[in-house]
Amino acid sequence: MIDRRTFMTCAGGVALGATLPVGAQTPRVARLGVLATQPPSSPTNAPSWKAFYGELQARGWVEGRNLAVEARYTEGRPDLERQLAAEVVAAGVEVIVAGGSQAVSAARDATRTVPIVMTNVSHVVEAGYVASLARPGGNITGVTNQLGDLMAKHFELLRTARPDTRKIGVLWSPDNLGSAIAFKDMQMRARDLGLALVSLPVDRPDELDPALLLAQRESVQALHVHPTAVIGAHWRRISAWATDRKVVTISGFNGFTRGGFLLSYGADFADIWRIAATFVDRILRGAKPADLPVEQPTKFELVINLKTAKTLGLTIPQQLLSRADEVIQ
């Protein structure tokens, strides 16, 4: 289940663009730790990893040459985060890139000295990861996904795609700080809009089926899916369940929509991981995370899956289609 990539022996490796004089020492191999939910082989996450490693290579860091990667992936088992974070720290890495709120929390608990670059995280100040966006103040910096700020937009999209939407099931993870804060915000915004939310908490894989059963009993018309580690690992089951029951699906992660969800609106996740690579580069070159302001995404995407809409018997309004960045036929 857990993909482990050990440090590669790079004797004789040369930094990009460097020419070694006779008798010179081989340049050091930088050590990068990775703590994330899914490996590069995951179809939904592959674009993000391609962007991340592509940016590192563009900045002169090539795995197997002057970069060694110690990676751990939970693959739907967030209960393993602490163990895997400890393993990454024990491997002697110089910087850790942590994807997702639970990965960041586990990495922070494992070390207060090794720099941590967070990515795919929302509400980073409220969660206590940084003192402020401008002055992180500790060993953590990186880029947010701002998913928690987009809930009102998601409700608007749902009502545009399916005007009769009144009851929305929310698949969320209480143990995930970003998801928990976002769910509280959703409750307030739903009340203002006259929408009823059905709480469907999922922190472990065995909680998914009871959550979907509750959604069925409550006759929800839509599912809002938080892309947490455990929920994201089962997106195919969620998509199939919703499609079979004519339930509209929406998320902040475009990978789910490309795989079968109806809608997604959120930051371009590949761009988020590309930005994370720039933080890794700066830290490996000597920058301190406390001095690097947290960045927020600037590219947001609306993705609509027309194949799913047809299966659901929905006609997506042209006004919504014209706003889409990607329409899956």
Side-chain angles (χ1 to χ4, degrees), residues 270-293:
D271 192 55
I272 287 177
W273 280 86
R274 183 195 61 77
I275 297 172
T278 69
F279 279 89
V280 171
D281 170 63
R282 294 164 72 183
I283 290 171
L284 288 177
R285 297 184 189 278
K288 304 297 182 184
D291 301 328
L292 298 177

Side-chain angles (χ1 to χ4, degrees), residues 121-137:
V121 184
S122 62
H123 300 291
V124 297
V125 176
E126 296 91 328
Y129 298 140
V130 296
S132 70
L133 298 183
R135 292 185 171 86

Side-chain angles (χ1 to χ4, degrees), residues 95-116:
V95 58
I96 300 169
V97 61
S101 181
Q102 287 165 303
V104 176
S105 295
R108 178 187 58 181
D109 292 344
T111 178
R112 296 301 174 107
T113 56
V114 178
I116 298 168

Side-chain angles (χ1 to χ4, degrees), residues 20-280:
L20 289 178
V22 176
Q25 292 185 344
T26 301
R28 74 174 180 88
V29 175
R31 296 183 168 187
L32 169 65
V34 171
L35 187 62
T37 58
Q38 297 292 334
S41 59
S42 165
T44 56
N45 295 75
S48 297
W49 286 118
K50 181 179 180 181
F52 177 73
Y53 284 109
E55 184 65 26
L56 283 179
Q57 183 168 345
R59 290 172 177 265
W61 301 104
V62 181
E63 186 178 4
R65 188 171 182 181
N66 64 346
L67 180 70
V69 180
E70 185 77 15
R72 300 289 188 275
Y73 307 101
T74 59
E75 299 190 70
R77 290 284 307 279
D79 55 301
L80 297 176
E81 293 278 14
R82 291 181 181 275
Q83 172 194 330
L84 301 184
E87 291 178 7
V88 169
V89 172
V93 299
E94 299 167 55
V95 58
I96 300 169
V97 61
S101 181
Q102 287 165 303
V104 176
S105 295
R108 178 187 58 181
D109 292 344
T111 178
R112 296 301 174 107
T113 56
V114 178
I116 298 168
V117 174
M118 60 184 174
T119 181
N120 190 22
V121 184
S122 62
H123 300 291
V124 297
V125 176
E126 296 91 328
Y129 298 140
V130 296
S132 70
L133 298 183
R135 292 185 171 86
N139 68 319
I140 302 177
T141 188
V143 55
T144 74
N145 60 24
Q146 287 190 275
L147 283 183
D149 301 327
L150 303 176
M151 299 307 156
K153 184 71 172 180
H154 287 182
F155 289 150
E156 174 203 333
L157 291 170
L158 280 174
R159 280 186 151 177
T160 303
R162 183 171 177 172
D164 67 339
T165 298
R166 295 292 180 271
K167 185 179 286 190
I168 303 170
V170 183
L171 283 167
W172 64 293
S173 297
D175 286 348
N176 183 300
L177 287 175
S179 179
I181 295 172
F183 180 67
K184 288 183 180 179
D185 182 62
M186 290 183 73
Q187 290 177 306
M188 292 186 293
R189 294 180 183 275
R191 283 195 296 269
D192 294 340
L193 295 171
L195 295 170
L197 295 189
V198 178
S199 174
L200 306 171
V202 178
D203 279 321
R204 302 189 311 272
D206 62 1
E207 293 177 337
L208 179 59
D209 285 340
L212 294 177
L213 182 61
L214 175 59
Q216 183 172 343
R217 287 202 304 265
E218 290 287 338
S219 300
V220 302
Q221 298 158 296
L223 275 183
H224 190 291
V225 183
H226 290 196
T228 63
V230 63
I231 294 172
H234 300 282
W235 67 270
R236 288 185 179 87
R237 286 176 56 198
I238 296 168
S239 180
W241 180 93
T243 301
D244 287 346
R245 291 160 182 79
K246 307 300 182 184
V247 172
V248 171
T249 43
I250 189 169
S251 175
F253 180 42
N254 50 28
F256 294 164
T257 305
R258 294 185 181 112
F261 279 29
L262 179 67
L263 298 165
S264 65
Y265 181 74
D268 181 340
F269 274 55
D271 192 55
I272 287 177
W273 280 86
R274 183 195 61 77
I275 297 172
T278 69
F279 279 89
V280 171

